[in-house]
């Protein structure tokens, strides 16, 4: 029997599970997330391995969903000094790189940016020759000053040749420095794609630290035969090496792990999923077994980006959410006691009224010591509970794309806050092991590859364009760690682009395969 270990880091708790080769849950643990994140991961791993009593040598795969990358951007810590090379002068000089970025984030990564001649039109025609001499001067200028490089060429998703050539020239001079290419990360829209590429470049050291620390932790536990994967924000996995190249893809992987875990536990492929943690609740849509992606630009740490992100609505409601009365009005959050809930909530002997205290007072859950909330006014608790349910119903209304009620799957340790009747939900599913759905989502995940590209159907047939996109997506899945024989195409989208000449069409393809 072979096993998998899955770990997911949330804002309040870090969850760990072990499943067998048939994806049956063997053991799970939930511990408070630590300030440095890493020590919490180590503790969760040690505890779940110890409790499971499985042979460490038979743990074949280890998956990690972590908030390290998000935290690094939000906290402006551990980010690489990054050089930004935009290819597209003079066509793109109206708006310079890093415009609109928070000043403290710019300070954290440095202001090394350059505009050079080159780039392409929206139909793939070249604007100017790539200025190779200027590239060589830039490489000499940034040597020993930066730790990572972001290369962005205008309309590179249509024609990526100048980005690839620029990478080749930079590598000739600077050697194996990490380089992020925008056509591999974002879609159309120069500034948002540039922003996503820069953020990716700043995170390469963070990703390296995560991957190496996870490997060392596994080795310390005697788990030396496991292949390591990190979770992506589309509900799939990527190999350790792939993650170090595209660390930005780990952002928002926690909610997507929960959505995938919800699908696995409930056997639903299409439903709404509400993941209630200790600090926040995330509601998303399960579409054909995978999280629905957002179709709009998403801000990360105050920076507008256009790379793929899950379509989520987050509200400040969780098990540790602080409940208070202000001038006769009951206020729900947004502050939370977070991982300190076992010290600060009333039911655990603390002095702060939390959402957990409310449901215990109403007899809806048996957590902690119920006697410690007996003095909480019943009317106050009832009003707070109604307001909590209204918050959930409002979030559900916003995420739905149809007025028809849909099934709602509840996961996360805080899902006990949700009542049995929610407007907008046709049925409410509370699966077994709901509290560790996020770690389960990591443990049972597959590996994916994706392509988002524009093709001119004047130059090739529709069938050839689709075949090329599927081939690229399949190759990306294999590169990310999928077994070549198991890769299937699970998503194809074609969008005709009437505003572009040459009968242009945007094709998006996702390929998914089992772990190698």
């Amino acid at each position: 029997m072979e096993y998998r270990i899955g770990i997911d880091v949330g804002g309040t708790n870090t969850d760990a599970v072990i499943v067998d080769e048939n994806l049956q849950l063997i053991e799970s643990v939930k511990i408070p997330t630590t300030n440095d994140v890493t020590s919490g991961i180590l503790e969760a791993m040690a505890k779940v391995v110890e409790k499971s009593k499985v042979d460490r040598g038979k743990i074949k795969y280890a998956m990690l969903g972590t908030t390290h990358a998000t935290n690094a951007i939000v906290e402006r810590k551990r980010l690489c000094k990054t050089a930004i090379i935009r290819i597209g002068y003079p066509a793109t000089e109206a708006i310079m790189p890093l415009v609109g970025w928070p000043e403290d984030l710019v300070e954290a990564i440095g202001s090394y940016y350059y505009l050079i001649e080159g780039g392409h039109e929206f139909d793939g025609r070249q604007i100017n020759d790539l200025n190779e001499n200027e590239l060589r001067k830039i490489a000499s200028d940034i040597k020993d000053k930066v730790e990572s490089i972001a290369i962005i060429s205008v309309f590179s998703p249509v024609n990526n040749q100048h980005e690839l050539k620029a990478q080749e020239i930079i590598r000739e001079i600077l050697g194996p420095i990490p380089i992020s290419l925008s056509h591999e990360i974002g879609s159309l829209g120069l500034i948002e794609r540039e922003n996503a590429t820069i953020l990716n470049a700043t995170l390469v050291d963070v990703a390296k630290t995560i991957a190496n620390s996870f490997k060392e932790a596994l080795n310390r536990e005697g788990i030396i035969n496991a292949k390591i994967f990190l979770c992506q924000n589309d509900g799939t996995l990527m190999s350790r090496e792939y993650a170090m190249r595209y660390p930005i893809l780990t952002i928002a992987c926690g909610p997507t792990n929960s959505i995938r875990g919800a699908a696995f536990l409930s056997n639903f492929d299409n439903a709404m999923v509400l993941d209630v943690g200790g600090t926040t609740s995330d509601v998303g849509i399960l579409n054909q077994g995978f999280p629905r992606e957002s179709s709009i630009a998403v801000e990360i740490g105050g920076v507008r980006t256009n790379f793929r992100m899950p379509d989520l609505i987050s509200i400040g409601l969780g098990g540790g959410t602080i409940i208070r009365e202000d001038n006769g009005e009951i206020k729900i959050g947004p502050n939370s006691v977070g991982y300190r809930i076992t010290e600060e909530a009333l039911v655990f002997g603390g002095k702060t009224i939390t959402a957990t205290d409310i449901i215990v007072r109403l007899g809806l859950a048996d957590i902690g010591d119920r006697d410690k909330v007996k003095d909480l006014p019943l009317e106050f608790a009832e009003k707070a509970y109604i307001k909590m349910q209204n918050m959930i119903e409002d979030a559900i209304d916003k995420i739905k794309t149809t007025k028809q009620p849909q099934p709602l799957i509840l996961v996360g340790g805080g899902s006990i806050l949700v009542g049995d009747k929610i407007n907008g939900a046709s049925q409410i599913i509370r699966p077994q092991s709901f509290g560790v759905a996020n770690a389960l989502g990591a443990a049972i995940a597959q590996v994916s590859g994706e392509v988002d590209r524009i093709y001119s159907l004047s130059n090739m047939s529709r069938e050839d364009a689709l075949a090329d996109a599927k081939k690229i997506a399949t190759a990306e899945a294999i590169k990310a760690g999928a077994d070549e024989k198991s890769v299937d195409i699970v998503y194809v989208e074609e969008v005709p682009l009437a505003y572009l000449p040459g009968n242009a069409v945007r094709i998006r393809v996702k390929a998914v395969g089992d772990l190698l």
Side-chain angles (χ1 to χ4, degrees):
M1 182 69 73
E2 293 176 340
Y3 301 94
R4 302 179 178 195
I5 183 168
I7 299 175
D8 185 89
V9 181
T12 302
N13 291 306
T14 295
D15 299 341
V17 300
I18 288 182
V19 300
D20 64 20
E21 59 192 25
N22 300 314
L23 304 185
Q24 296 299 308
L25 180 63
I26 302 298
E27 192 55 78
S28 65
V29 299
K30 184 184 289 285
I31 68 161
T33 295
T34 52
N35 282 330
D36 66 348
V37 179
T38 303
S39 58
I41 292 172
L42 303 183
E43 185 181 349
M45 182 194 303
K47 283 190 175 179
V48 78
V49 171
E50 182 185 348
K51 280 181 70 178
S52 69
K53 301 289 194 292
V54 300
D55 183 344
R56 288 165 167 78
K58 293 184 178 178
I59 298 177
K60 189 176 180 183
Y61 301 105
M63 296 80 164
L64 175 64
T66 176
T67 57
H68 276 90
T70 307
N71 293 353
I73 294 172
V74 171
E75 296 171 5
R76 320 310 201 209
K77 293 178 179 176
R78 305 179 302 281
L79 300 175
C80 291
K81 294 293 183 185
T82 299
I84 304 149
I85 301 172
R86 184 197 288 175
I87 304 168
Y89 180 83
T92 67
E93 67 174 332
I95 300 177
M96 301 297 284
L98 303 177
V99 165
W101 281 51
E103 288 183 15
D104 57 345
L105 185 52
V106 173
E107 188 178 331
I109 70 168
S111 297
Y112 302 97
Y113 57 80
Y114 305 86
L115 268 65
I116 66 170
E117 290 90 349
H120 294 82
E121 299 281 7
F122 53 77
D123 58 359
R125 289 180 293 116
Q126 185 171 289
I127 297 173
N128 282 315
D129 289 336
L130 178 64
N131 191 331
E132 298 185 12
N133 289 333
E134 186 64 23
L135 265 174
R136 290 186 171 88
K137 288 180 186 175
I138 292 169
S140 299
D141 182 50
I142 62 177
K143 188 175 184 180
D144 300 326
K145 294 179 183 176
V146 301
E147 302 150 298
S148 187
I149 298 172
I151 299 177
I152 307 94
S153 181
V154 60
F155 282 108
S156 62
V158 181
N159 189 325
N160 61 13
Q161 292 307 304
H162 283 184
E163 286 190 358
L164 294 173
K165 184 62 178 176
Q167 176 179 240
E168 183 184 319
I169 291 169
I170 295 290
R171 283 258 161 83
E172 282 175 12
I173 299 168
L174 298 183
I177 189 170
I179 297 176
S180 298
L181 304 180
S182 79
H183 74 272
E184 297 179 336
I185 292 165
S187 55
L188 287 177
L190 175 66
I191 300 302
E192 291 86 358
R193 172 163 45 88
E194 180 175 76
N195 288 345
T197 308
I198 297 166
L199 287 177
N200 188 78
T202 68
L203 290 168
V204 292
D205 269 1
V206 172
K208 189 175 181 180
T209 300
I210 299 166
N212 290 340
S213 297
F214 192 41
K215 183 175 177 61
E216 288 169 14
L218 288 164
N219 289 342
R220 279 206 299 272
E221 286 300 318
I223 305 170
I224 57 175
N225 299 322
K227 291 184 179 178
I228 295 172
F229 293 87
L230 269 69
C231 297
Q232 302 192 65
N233 59 13
D234 66 349
T236 62
L237 303 169
M238 53 185 167
S239 67
R240 180 167 161 257
E241 294 73 24
Y242 199 86
M244 286 192 277
R245 183 167 172 79
Y246 305 110
I248 198 168
L249 297 181
T250 66
I251 290 175
C253 67
T256 57
N257 283 342
S258 295
I259 293 173
R260 284 286 289 148
F264 174 74
L265 290 169
S266 66
N267 290 319
F268 274 73
D269 283 337
N270 297 282
M272 298 181 293
V273 177
L274 178 62
D275 176 21
V276 188
T279 305
T280 60
S281 295
D282 298 306
V283 58
I285 298 290
L286 188 58
N287 182 21
Q288 297 179 336
F290 287 89
R292 185 176 76 193
E293 288 183 17
S294 175
S295 58
I296 60 173
V298 176
E299 276 204 3
I300 301 170
V303 177
R304 186 177 170 87
T305 67
N306 70 354
F307 80 109
R308 65 148 197 251
M309 286 282 280
D311 190 7
L312 298 169
I313 290 177
S314 297
I315 56 174
L317 176 64
T321 296
I322 297 171
I323 314 292
R324 63 193 185 284
E325 194 167 4
D326 186 9
N327 293 327
E329 183 184 356
I330 292 175
K331 300 280 188 181
I332 312 290
N335 297 333
S336 170
V337 298
Y339 60 84
R340 301 187 310 278
I341 187 169
T342 53
E343 302 164 17
E344 298 199 19
L346 297 183
V347 290
F348 295 112
K351 296 180 179 180
T352 306
I353 302 172
T354 67
T356 299
D357 297 316
I358 297 297
I359 60 165
V360 173
R361 176 66 179 92
L362 295 174
L364 300 174
D366 185 17
I367 300 171
D369 185 351
R370 190 175 178 183
D371 284 343
K372 294 187 184 300
V373 291
K374 65 182 180 182
D375 294 331
L376 198 61
L378 190 59
E379 184 182 2
F380 173 86
E382 289 171 343
K383 286 181 179 178
Y385 183 74
I386 290 170
K387 196 159 187 177
M388 286 157 54
Q389 305 311 298
N390 288 341
M391 288 174 67
I392 292 165
E393 289 175 354
D394 287 347
I396 285 173
D397 278 344
K398 289 175 183 175
I399 200 75
K400 284 168 61 181
T401 55
T402 172
K403 66 179 181 179
Q404 300 300 323
Q406 294 177 264
L408 176 65
I409 308 168
L410 298 178
V411 294
S415 60
I416 52 174
L417 302 179
V418 185
D420 291 328
K421 180 75 174 101
I422 293 291
N423 289 329
S426 58
Q427 65 181 116
I428 292 179
I429 301 102
R430 300 176 188 267
Q432 282 190 324
S433 306
F434 64 88
V436 290
N438 50 357
L440 265 172
I444 58 92
Q446 295 171 294
V447 182
S448 73
E450 195 169 333
V451 64
D452 183 352
R453 191 161 290 186
I454 295 171
Y455 291 88
S456 172
L457 300 188
S458 296
N459 302 326
M460 64 172 66
S461 69
R462 172 178 172 272
E463 290 73 22
D464 286 345
L466 284 170
D468 184 67
K470 290 176 181 178
K471 181 180 177 183
I472 294 170
T474 300
E476 284 298 313
I478 294 167
K479 198 194 303 182
D483 181 352
E484 184 175 355
K485 297 174 184 174
S486 70
V487 177
D488 286 322
I489 303 298
V490 297
Y491 177 82
V492 178
E493 179 186 43
E494 296 177 72
V495 181
L497 302 176
Y499 55 87
L500 295 185
N503 196 13
V505 60
R506 178 183 180 184
I507 298 178
R508 294 182 63 206
V509 177
K510 182 193 286 285
V512 172
D514 296 330
L515 298 175
L516 184 63

PDB file of all heavy atoms in Angstrom, residues 52-64:
ATOM      1  N   SER A  52      -0.972   8.392  12.211  1.00  0.00           N
ATOM      2  CA  SER A  52      -1.390   7.409  11.196  1.00  0.00           C
ATOM      3  C   SER A  52      -0.692   6.064  11.352  1.00  0.00           C
ATOM      4  O   SER A  52      -1.231   5.028  10.945  1.00  0.00           O
ATOM      5  CB  SER A  52      -1.110   7.957   9.797  1.00  0.00           C
ATOM      6  OG  SER A  52       0.292   8.018   9.552  1.00  0.00           O
ATOM      7  N   LYS A  53       0.534   6.088  11.914  1.00  0.00           N
ATOM      8  CA  LYS A  53       1.338   4.867  12.084  1.00  0.00           C
ATOM      9  C   LYS A  53       1.692   4.195  10.748  1.00  0.00           C
ATOM     10  O   LYS A  53       2.019   3.013  10.708  1.00  0.00           O
ATOM     11  CB  LYS A  53       0.602   3.844  12.977  1.00  0.00           C
ATOM     12  CG  LYS A  53       0.268   4.360  14.374  1.00  0.00           C
ATOM     13  CD  LYS A  53       1.498   4.513  15.242  1.00  0.00           C
ATOM     14  CE  LYS A  53       1.173   4.694  16.699  1.00  0.00           C
ATOM     15  NZ  LYS A  53       0.505   5.972  16.998  1.00  0.00           N
ATOM     16  N   VAL A  54       1.595   4.941   9.629  1.00  0.00           N
ATOM     17  CA  VAL A  54       1.914   4.329   8.342  1.00  0.00           C
ATOM     18  C   VAL A  54       3.430   4.232   8.186  1.00  0.00           C
ATOM     19  O   VAL A  54       4.190   4.965   8.824  1.00  0.00           O
ATOM     20  CB  VAL A  54       1.324   5.133   7.156  1.00  0.00           C
ATOM     21  CG1 VAL A  54      -0.187   5.222   7.263  1.00  0.00           C
ATOM     22  CG2 VAL A  54       1.948   6.506   7.043  1.00  0.00           C
ATOM     23  N   ASP A  55       3.858   3.321   7.330  1.00  0.00           N
ATOM     24  CA  ASP A  55       5.270   3.155   7.025  1.00  0.00           C
ATOM     25  C   ASP A  55       5.738   4.379   6.241  1.00  0.00           C
ATOM     26  O   ASP A  55       5.271   4.638   5.131  1.00  0.00           O
ATOM     27  CB  ASP A  55       5.461   1.884   6.196  1.00  0.00           C
ATOM     28  CG  ASP A  55       6.922   1.594   5.880  1.00  0.00           C
ATOM     29  OD1 ASP A  55       7.762   2.514   6.038  1.00  0.00           O
ATOM     30  OD2 ASP A  55       7.224   0.462   5.456  1.00  0.00           O
ATOM     31  N   ARG A  56       6.658   5.143   6.823  1.00  0.00           N
ATOM     32  CA  ARG A  56       7.115   6.374   6.173  1.00  0.00           C
ATOM     33  C   ARG A  56       7.716   6.113   4.794  1.00  0.00           C
ATOM     34  O   ARG A  56       7.634   6.956   3.902  1.00  0.00           O
ATOM     35  CB  ARG A  56       8.142   7.084   7.060  1.00  0.00           C
ATOM     36  CG  ARG A  56       7.531   7.735   8.302  1.00  0.00           C
ATOM     37  CD  ARG A  56       8.625   8.081   9.310  1.00  0.00           C
ATOM     38  NE  ARG A  56       8.174   8.974  10.368  1.00  0.00           N
ATOM     39  CZ  ARG A  56       7.447   8.582  11.407  1.00  0.00           C
ATOM     40  NH1 ARG A  56       7.083   7.295  11.515  1.00  0.00           N
ATOM     41  NH2 ARG A  56       7.082   9.452  12.331  1.00  0.00           N
ATOM     42  N   GLY A  57       8.314   4.959   4.624  1.00  0.00           N
ATOM     43  CA  GLY A  57       8.916   4.625   3.341  1.00  0.00           C
ATOM     44  C   GLY A  57       7.899   4.400   2.241  1.00  0.00           C
ATOM     45  O   GLY A  57       8.256   4.365   1.061  1.00  0.00           O
ATOM     46  N   LYS A  58       6.633   4.247   2.631  1.00  0.00           N
ATOM     47  CA  LYS A  58       5.581   4.005   1.641  1.00  0.00           C
ATOM     48  C   LYS A  58       4.770   5.253   1.308  1.00  0.00           C
ATOM     49  O   LYS A  58       3.772   5.184   0.596  1.00  0.00           O
ATOM     50  CB  LYS A  58       4.655   2.888   2.123  1.00  0.00           C
ATOM     51  CG  LYS A  58       5.350   1.535   2.176  1.00  0.00           C
ATOM     52  CD  LYS A  58       4.401   0.419   2.570  1.00  0.00           C
ATOM     53  CE  LYS A  58       5.114  -0.935   2.559  1.00  0.00           C
ATOM     54  NZ  LYS A  58       4.210  -2.025   2.978  1.00  0.00           N
ATOM     55  N   ILE A  59       5.192   6.400   1.839  1.00  0.00           N
ATOM     56  CA  ILE A  59       4.561   7.669   1.455  1.00  0.00           C
ATOM     57  C   ILE A  59       5.223   8.125   0.163  1.00  0.00           C
ATOM     58  O   ILE A  59       6.383   8.535   0.143  1.00  0.00           O
ATOM     59  CB  ILE A  59       4.701   8.728   2.556  1.00  0.00           C
ATOM     60  CG1 ILE A  59       3.989   8.262   3.831  1.00  0.00           C
ATOM     61  CG2 ILE A  59       4.124  10.067   2.084  1.00  0.00           C
ATOM     62  CD1 ILE A  59       4.123   9.204   5.008  1.00  0.00           C
ATOM     63  N   LYS A  60       4.470   8.018  -0.938  1.00  0.00           N
ATOM     64  CA  LYS A  60       5.048   8.209  -2.267  1.00  0.00           C
ATOM     65  C   LYS A  60       4.930   9.650  -2.757  1.00  0.00           C
ATOM     66  O   LYS A  60       5.730  10.115  -3.567  1.00  0.00           O
ATOM     67  CB  LYS A  60       4.361   7.274  -3.272  1.00  0.00           C
ATOM     68  CG  LYS A  60       5.029   7.241  -4.629  1.00  0.00           C
ATOM     69  CD  LYS A  60       4.373   6.231  -5.549  1.00  0.00           C
ATOM     70  CE  LYS A  60       5.066   6.222  -6.919  1.00  0.00           C
ATOM     71  NZ  LYS A  60       4.411   5.302  -7.864  1.00  0.00           N
ATOM     72  N   TYR A  61       3.900  10.373  -2.287  1.00  0.00           N
ATOM     73  CA  TYR A  61       3.683  11.744  -2.739  1.00  0.00           C
ATOM     74  C   TYR A  61       3.439  12.662  -1.546  1.00  0.00           C
ATOM     75  O   TYR A  61       2.801  12.258  -0.567  1.00  0.00           O
ATOM     76  CB  TYR A  61       2.465  11.825  -3.667  1.00  0.00           C
ATOM     77  CG  TYR A  61       2.552  10.963  -4.903  1.00  0.00           C
ATOM     78  CD1 TYR A  61       1.823   9.789  -5.007  1.00  0.00           C
ATOM     79  CD2 TYR A  61       3.361  11.335  -5.975  1.00  0.00           C
ATOM     80  CE1 TYR A  61       1.891   8.991  -6.140  1.00  0.00           C
ATOM     81  CE2 TYR A  61       3.442  10.554  -7.113  1.00  0.00           C
ATOM     82  CZ  TYR A  61       2.705   9.379  -7.195  1.00  0.00           C
ATOM     83  OH  TYR A  61       2.784   8.598  -8.308  1.00  0.00           O
ATOM     84  N   ALA A  62       3.936  13.902  -1.648  1.00  0.00           N
ATOM     85  CA  ALA A  62       3.692  14.910  -0.612  1.00  0.00           C
ATOM     86  C   ALA A  62       3.261  16.197  -1.294  1.00  0.00           C
ATOM     87  O   ALA A  62       3.949  16.704  -2.182  1.00  0.00           O
ATOM     88  CB  ALA A  62       4.954  15.141   0.216  1.00  0.00           C
ATOM     89  N   MET A  63       2.084  16.719  -0.891  1.00  0.00           N
ATOM     90  CA  MET A  63       1.520  17.921  -1.512  1.00  0.00           C
ATOM     91  C   MET A  63       1.383  19.030  -0.487  1.00  0.00           C
ATOM     92  O   MET A  63       0.984  18.791   0.646  1.00  0.00           O
ATOM     93  CB  MET A  63       0.127  17.633  -2.089  1.00  0.00           C
ATOM     94  CG  MET A  63       0.130  16.626  -3.215  1.00  0.00           C
ATOM     95  SD  MET A  63       0.225  14.938  -2.628  1.00  0.00           S
ATOM     96  CE  MET A  63      -0.278  14.078  -4.116  1.00  0.00           C
ATOM     97  N   LEU A  64       1.690  20.246  -0.906  1.00  0.00           N
ATOM     98  CA  LEU A  64       1.625  21.390   0.000  1.00  0.00           C
ATOM     99  C   LEU A  64       0.884  22.548  -0.656  1.00  0.00           C
ATOM    100  O   LEU A  64       1.243  22.999  -1.748  1.00  0.00           O
ATOM    101  CB  LEU A  64       3.044  21.843   0.374  1.00  0.00           C
ATOM    102  CG  LEU A  64       3.154  23.110   1.223  1.00  0.00           C
ATOM    103  CD1 LEU A  64       2.513  22.904   2.595  1.00  0.00           C
ATOM    104  CD2 LEU A  64       4.613  23.530   1.373  1.00  0.00           C
TER     105      LEU A  64
END
